[in-house]
Amino acid sequence: MTNHSETTGSSENGDIPGPGQPGRAAPGPYDSLVDEGQVTLRTPGELADALPYLLGYRPEDSIVLVALRDRDGRGRFGGRARLGIPANSDDWASAAGQLAHGLVTGSERRGARPEQMVAYLCQEPGRGETGREVMERLRPLAQKLRVECGALDVPVVEALCISDGRFWSYCCDDEACCPAEGVPMGLPGTSVLAAAATYAGIQVRGSLRELRARMLPWESGAAREQTAALDAAAMTVVSRILDDAGRAEVAEETLCLAQRVMRRLGEAPPVSGVPAEDLRDDQLLAHDEAAALILGLQDRTTRDRAAAWMEGDEAGPALRLWRALARRCVGPYGEHAAAPLTLAGWVAWSVGDELEAREALAMALGADQDYLFARLLHQACNEGLDPESIRRCLRAGREGRDGTGGGTSGGEEQAGGSGEREPADPTPAPAARVGRRRRPRSVASPDGVLGRARVQGREPRAKIVRPRTPAGGERPGGARTGRTRPRASRKESTGQEGVCRGGGRTGEQGAEGGSERL
């Protein structure tokens, strides 16, 4: 019905801050009185102009529901939810029910059941189509939204279609305010709400398409060079990851290389504009470095240690690196993007950017719908849970690792017969690891969504897609039982910059043993 980039339920909750009231309720009631620190929205046109400020971006091809809740007799904006418009009209009823039910139940869990709804349908005309034709084509969908919300005793007080720079109301037939040809949208940034949002420091980003473009794989001629680098690296890296001893070496090499690249990104001079920023980062990352990092992150424990770079001075360069690696997962390596996309989503969520977090995690599920870590984080982020419990786990594991001079931490178990130690899984763990507090509802607690899912299912240690066999070459062998190459020294495995300390290793012990999923 929908693609993996769509979110459902209460993806955002609460009011937008108003001038002089950071973090407090602010924009405006619909048909309400003016109050200090508020912006009053009285007409369909003002509601249409408000949509990007309610979401923080300009929606495209979207169904959006915005809850209104009563406060002192005035309607106040509450939770918001968005879903892509299904291409098949047979799916419209299901989408309308899913969105309405998700927003109402999500608001109820937070103790603020909506009294009314405002619905938006946003879609640009197709070839040879006009905005008015889009409005008429989507009219049955608007009616289904009104029916589904009405069935939940939450009436839709306004339903708007926004297309081709105009808007139409499905609830108003007054030609004076809502003519049949539609009403032109105001210029971006010229409304009263835009001025109030600017004063309050609220930024409206571009469209979700522009946000996703930062993490989509290359389609330029450089993609062939990157594919060749991935093919070459996979011939050796895959076999090493499938070997217990080789996996530990690859993990150290991957984490040290990632830290060197992050330092390089952090020291790069600033540039103006998002495209220029991404181009600069791409130029700072060589094809062979990207290939080694992408393949190394396919190991679950390595990925989880890298997830500890989620805050402070490390978060910015780490997020830039994960985006850049996602852009390098080209051609037959598209499924490998699940790891860097999940890391990008986690870092974005950790630093408070829920919009990018949801999109990155949804894209990770688009690359691999069975990627457990992405699925758990995506659900937790959409449910508005607190990521601090995961951060505490990762901090504790990292401190334990650093405190032993880069050796093993207390959360490790002995690997079978090789004399090496295998890191435990830092993915959110059961109660024995993170405590039993229920308020606030934590992500990593047994009551949280991640804790429940970890009990129900296990994530494989490494999901490795075997490399393509070059012409005239041989496919690398399967997992080996013994070491076929001498173990690299600490200096060799960590590069020229000495011992590097990777991310933390915490959480539940690796109960999966040596299982692999190929």
Side-chain angles (χ1 to χ4, degrees), residues 20-56:
Q21 292 183 306
R24 300 291 300 278
Y30 177 59
D31 283 338
S32 73
L33 300 176
V34 177
D35 194 8
E36 183 179 359
Q38 297 176 354
V39 177
T40 302
L41 306 180
R42 301 182 183 277
T43 68
E46 290 173 341
L47 281 175
D49 288 333
L51 181 57
Y53 301 96
L54 296 175
L55 297 180

Side-chain angles (χ1 to χ4, degrees), residues 137 156 255 276 279 288 302 382 459 484:
R137 176 168 52 80
V156 174
L255 294 169
L279 178 60
D288 59 341
T302 306
N382 281 335
E459 184 176 19
T484 59

Side-chain angles (χ1 to χ4, degrees), residues 233-251 295-296 298-302 336 415-416 418 422 460-467 475-485 513-518:
M235 296 299 293
T236 57
V237 172
V238 169
S239 295
R240 294 176 64 198
I241 290 179
L242 295 178
D243 173 66
D244 284 340
R247 180 188 300 117
E249 296 173 0
V250 172
L295 294 169
Q298 301 310 303
D299 178 60
R300 186 203 64 205
T301 55
T302 306
H336 287 64
S418 66
E422 176 184 337
R461 173 173 301 145
K463 183 170 182 179
I464 304 297
V465 179
R466 291 189 182 276
R475 181 179 292 276
R480 295 171 292 176
T481 56
R483 291 222 299 255
T484 59
R485 60 185 300 274
S515 63
E516 313 295 345
R517 185 171 66 173
L518 300 180

Side-chain angles (χ1 to χ4, degrees), residues 13-100:
N13 195 53
D15 297 316
I16 296 178
Q21 292 183 306
R24 300 291 300 278
Y30 177 59
D31 283 338
S32 73
L33 300 176
V34 177
D35 194 8
E36 183 179 359
Q38 297 176 354
V39 177
T40 302
L41 306 180
R42 301 182 183 277
T43 68
E46 290 173 341
L47 281 175
D49 288 333
L51 181 57
Y53 301 96
L54 296 175
L55 297 180
Y57 60 92
R58 303 186 184 280
E60 296 176 322
D61 198 27
S62 299
I63 312 168
V64 180
L65 280 182
V66 179
L68 296 177
R69 49 193 175 86
D70 182 74
R71 184 182 295 174
D72 301 327
R74 295 175 297 202
R76 301 291 292 268
F77 285 128
R80 284 81 75 190
R82 185 195 71 87
L83 193 66
I85 297 177
N88 190 338
S89 60
D90 292 340
D91 294 327
W92 286 359
S94 175
Q98 180 183 4
L99 197 62

Side-chain angles (χ1 to χ4, degrees), residues 97 100-102 104-105 108 113-114 117 147-155:
H101 184 268
V104 171
T105 56
E108 286 176 337
R113 193 180 195 276
M117 292 282 192
V147 169
E148 292 292 342
C149 291
L152 297 170
D153 294 324
V154 185

